[in-house]
Structures are given as C-alpha cells and as structure tokens.
Amino acid sequence: MHGNESTVPVSQASTVPGVRAWLALGVLCFVYVLNFLDRQLLAILAKPIQDALDLSDGQLGLIGGLYFALFYTFISIPIGWLADKTNRVRVLSLACAVWSAATMACGLARTYPELAIARMTTGFGEAGGVPPSYAIISDYFPPGWRGRALGIYNLGPPIGAALGVAFGASIAVVFGWRYAFIVLGGVGVLTAGVLSLAVREPRKGGLDDVRPGDIRPSGFIETLKMFVSHPALMLAAFGSAATQMITYGMGNFTTLFLMREKGMTLDEVAVYYALVIAIGMGGGMMVSGRMLDHFTRRSRTAYGLLPAISLVVALPLYVGFVWAPGWALSLWFLLGVAFLNYFYLTASVTLVQQEVRPDQRVMSGALLLLVMNFIGLGLGPTYVGLLSDYFHASDPVHSLQTALYLLIPFYIVAIVLFLFLARVLRRQDRAIKNGGIMS
C-alpha cells in the first residue's frame, strides 16, 4: 500500500459516506466528463471535419469506432492490471494527461492518417480513465451506496456529451473546429494535475466485509478465468455490448444525421441537441442509479430486469427518432431514447464491482469495458458508417437514415441477454437461500 492511502476500517462499511468521498466522486466525475467530451468531439464536429478533410461516412466510422476502440479496449487490460497493483489515482492522472494532449493533436491534424493516429492515441489514454475510477469509487462508498455513487459518476457521459455539443459546436462556429479540440484538450491537461492533488488513494477493500489479510494482488490469468467463468458477468458484458452497438452507432452519427438529413444548423445543434443530451441522458443516469439501489436490496435480478425493461420502452422511441420528418420532432423522440438507453451502464458496472474481490475490481472493470467497448464502440460506428456508404449509391439523401434503422435488431439482442442475466441472478439467489453454492 502507498503512504497516502486512507485507512477506513471495515467497521465503517455501513456508515454514510463522508465529505472526502463526495469530493473524490466530484473530481472523478469531472474527469469522466472530459473523457467523454474528448471522445465525442469527432462525432459532434463530424460535418465540418468531413468537409475540411473530404472524408466519407465510412472513414468517420472507422476513426470514431474501430481504430479508436482497438487501442481503448486492449490497452485497458494492462493498465487495469497495473492500477490494481499500484496507485490508481496516479494511473488515472497520467491517463488524463495523455488523452487530453492527444485531443489537442486532433485539432492540428491536416490529413486523414494524422487524424487517425491522434484518435488512436486518444483511445490509448482514455483506456486508463474509467476502470481505475470504478474501483476508487467502490473503495470510497460502501455497499448500498455504490449504485447511487456510480450512477452519479456515470453522469460523466451525458454531461460530457452535452458540454461537447454546446461548447465544441459553439467554438467551432466562431473559431473553427480545430480550436474546439485544442481548447478542450488543454482543459484536460490542467485537470490531470489537479486530480493528483485533490484525490487520495483509498484503501483497497476498506469498506467491504473482508479482513485486510484476505486482500491479495490477483494475477491477470486468475482474474480473467474468474470473469469468463462467471455467467452473470459475461451476460452483463455482452448485454452491454449489444446496447453499445446502438448508443455508439447512433451517437457517433446523430449530429451528422440531424444536420444532413433533418436540416439542423451547427448553432442549433449547440443549443437544442445539447439540452436533449443533458436532460435525457443525465436524467436517465440519475434515475437508474437510485432505482438500482432500491430494487437490488430486494433482489439482484434488477441488474438484468431494469436494463431490459428500459430498452423495451426505448425501441419504439428510437424508431420515431429515425423516422421523424423534421429535426424538432426527432429531438422529442430522442429525449426519451437518451433517457432510457443508458440504464444498462450503471447496472452492469455496479454488478461487476459488487461481484468481484476488491483486488480484482480495476481488472474486472477493464474486462467489462473490453467486451462491451470492442463490440459496441469498435463495431457500432463502423457498422453504421459502412452501411451508409453502401446505401449512398442508391439513396444518397437518406443513406444514413437507412443505416440507423438497421441498429434495431441490436435492441432485441440486448433485451434477450439482459433477461437471461436476470434469470441467472434469480437462480443464484435461490441457491444461496437454499444453502447451495452460487454458480
């Protein structure tokens, strides 16, 4: 352990989190805001970037999807292993500095290869952002508070997306798209320094029902075997991956879709689309975290049922968003979609953090991200972009709309996987109640 680690005793696991915990959560949430903001800038500014560098939808999909995800997902494994064995706050601070500097480099890119390399480097840095944060929060907040805390932390994507739309588009309107990357990346570099000073490394497992001697460093193979042999964790990962095929496939092209096929301007996007993301996605994160803490006290099946039900309700709203003839009506449908599409995130993250040992939390969080982001983030935008290019020859006006319709099957896949997750958790709970061994 490191000298700057706090020493919260196990006996305090049931107490209300203190000021230090909430301060750490606030700082980590802001870092996540920057993480997601930098990640989404390419999608937000897709139209001016496409015009400036003469890119196709397929090329945009590859940069925002597969190329980014190859680094983001696979680098997260060794970073997760390192963070589990060292100081997680320091790893997070260094990662924030790397992805922020790479974001600035995106603004300096003059060719497609230069932009692709800068985006890959952004993915390399962002790989060290989320998994250490999950584990730090789980060691600041006791069981019974983690769903709420991780729900607040997961406000990072909606706030980051909303601020990215608002500030990124506004800066681009006034100064050009390059300055949006440079300015917002510079903010992240400064934040990396603040993070290392403001957040203390908590003691691993300090708020869990374990003795200090029971916490030991886990090897990579040991954690990997545990993860892939755990049915609930694998179902949560693949259910989240199917959902992210929708959220990233749609999200990386929403601004371009609204501007090119619905008639919005960039300054209208900066106001109205930003509000939809902030209210819809942000509200969904807050509500899902509170609902999760409430319902999982009764039954762990809520980890699967809540995402499944939310996606069932979201599906017809998504169809309305893609179908709507004008951008105003489309945004009303999108408000509901944004609210409901992200219930899976808090549920899956909290389940993984609750199910594994404290010394395996960063690595397990990295494995969760590997599965869901390689499939969802890596293939979702790539799938939509290539389909749009394919349909462009026969329907150049509505090729992107047709591609977005073809995300509908992934709703069905995700719903089925989360229902299976609920079934597995119900069986495990019954086995425990009857004195059996959890599978």
Side-chain angles (χ1 to χ4, degrees):
M1 296 295 174
H2 295 270
N4 66 335
E5 292 178 343
S6 60
T7 57
V8 183
V10 175
S11 61
Q12 293 183 5
S14 61
T15 62
V16 176
V19 174
R20 187 183 299 278
W22 292 108
L23 173 63
L25 180 60
V27 174
L28 293 175
C29 187
F30 183 71
V31 173
Y32 198 11
V33 167
L34 293 176
N35 180 301
F36 209 81
L37 190 158
D38 292 351
R39 192 185 313 174
Q40 292 298 301
L41 272 181
L42 181 72
I44 293 162
L45 303 175
K47 188 66 168 64
I49 293 172
Q50 192 174 53
D51 293 342
L53 301 183
D54 192 26
L55 307 181
S56 69
D57 289 353
Q59 288 176 309
L60 280 175
L62 285 168
I63 294 179
L66 186 60
Y67 295 162
F68 180 92
L70 282 173
F71 281 78
Y72 180 73
T73 55
F74 289 103
I75 297 298
S76 66
I77 300 300
I79 290 178
W81 175 85
L82 176 66
D84 266 333
K85 292 181 176 297
T86 60
N87 187 298
R88 296 164 294 184
V89 174
R90 292 175 188 164
V91 171
L92 176 60
S93 179
L94 178 61
C96 181
V98 171
W99 86 60
S100 300
T103 298
M104 298 177 71
C106 289
L108 302 175
R110 299 290 173 180
T111 64
Y112 179 73
E114 288 178 2
L115 182 60
I117 292 170
R119 289 298 293 174
M120 290 178 184
T121 308
T122 304
F124 178 89
E126 290 190 8
V130 179
S133 298
Y134 287 159
I136 292 168
I137 291 168
S138 295
D139 283 331
Y140 266 115
F141 289 84
W145 284 85
R146 285 177 187 155
R148 189 177 309 179
L150 289 168
I152 293 172
Y153 174 71
N154 283 331
L155 286 171
I159 295 173
L163 291 180
V165 173
F167 288 102
S170 297
I171 293 171
V173 168
V174 179
F175 300 105
W177 65 269
R178 296 183 183 279
Y179 284 93
F181 282 95
I182 294 170
V183 170
L184 296 173
V187 172
V189 172
L190 295 175
T191 301
V194 173
L195 168 66
S196 62
L197 299 174
V199 178
R200 292 177 60 183
E201 174 77 1
R203 185 163 65 87
K204 293 180 176 71
L207 297 177
D208 292 276
D209 189 19
V210 293
R211 294 187 300 272
D214 293 336
I215 300 176
R216 55 184 175 78
S218 294
F220 167 71
I221 299 299
E222 179 187 356
T223 304
L224 178 62
K225 286 181 177 178
M226 177 279 300
F227 194 94
V228 299
S229 64
H230 199 305
L233 299 188
M234 292 302 292
L235 282 168
F238 281 107
S240 298
T243 309
Q244 285 199 346
M245 284 291 294
I246 304 159
T247 58
Y248 279 115
M250 173 186 69
N252 274 44
F253 287 95
T254 296
T255 303
L256 185 61
F257 178 61
L258 291 170
M259 292 180 68
R260 195 167 74 192
E261 298 197 21
K262 303 295 184 183
M264 287 189 82
T265 61
L266 193 56
D267 52 348
E268 288 171 337
V269 166
V271 177
Y272 300 110
Y273 180 42
L275 286 173
V276 166
I277 294 299
I279 296 170
M281 194 174 170
M285 292 293 188
M286 289 294 292
V287 171
S288 64
R290 288 183 173 272
M291 290 180 69
L292 199 66
D293 277 340
H294 176 74
F295 288 110
T296 52
R297 290 190 184 103
R298 304 177 184 178
S299 172
R300 293 191 308 145
T301 58
Y303 288 117
L305 286 178
L306 276 178
I309 293 170
S310 69
L311 293 172
V312 168
V313 180
L315 176 53
L317 298 177
Y318 174 77
V319 174
F321 156 70
V322 179
W323 160 83
W327 64 263
L329 180 58
S330 187
L331 286 182
W332 280 110
F333 282 116
L334 184 59
L335 182 64
V337 174
F339 181 85
L340 295 162
N341 262 5
Y342 293 90
F343 273 52
Y344 81 93
L345 186 58
T346 301
S348 295
V349 168
T350 307
L351 175 65
V352 170
Q353 295 298 305
Q354 289 282 90
E355 290 289 299
V356 305
R357 296 202 314 256
D359 57 293
Q360 295 176 322
R361 280 182 176 146
V362 181
M363 191 67 191
S364 297
L367 288 168
L368 173 68
L369 292 179
L370 170 64
V371 175
M372 68 184 192
N373 283 329
F374 180 73
I375 295 173
L377 174 59
L379 303 182
T382 305
Y383 171 80
V384 173
L386 293 177
L387 280 176
S388 181
D389 281 355
Y390 175 78
F391 291 118
H392 186 268
S394 59
D395 188 6
V397 177
H398 299 296
S399 61
L400 190 50
Q401 181 184 49
T402 305
L404 290 173
Y405 273 129
L406 291 177
L407 286 174
I408 291 173
F410 293 100
Y411 270 102
I412 309 301
V413 173
I415 290 165
V416 170
L417 288 171
F418 280 120
L419 288 175
F420 271 114
L421 171 60
R423 184 182 181 186
V424 166
L425 292 173
R426 183 180 295 110
R427 285 180 174 177
Q428 291 178 353
D429 286 345
R430 287 175 179 170
I432 294 171
K433 187 178 295 185
N434 295 330
I437 299 175
M438 186 171 64
S439 61

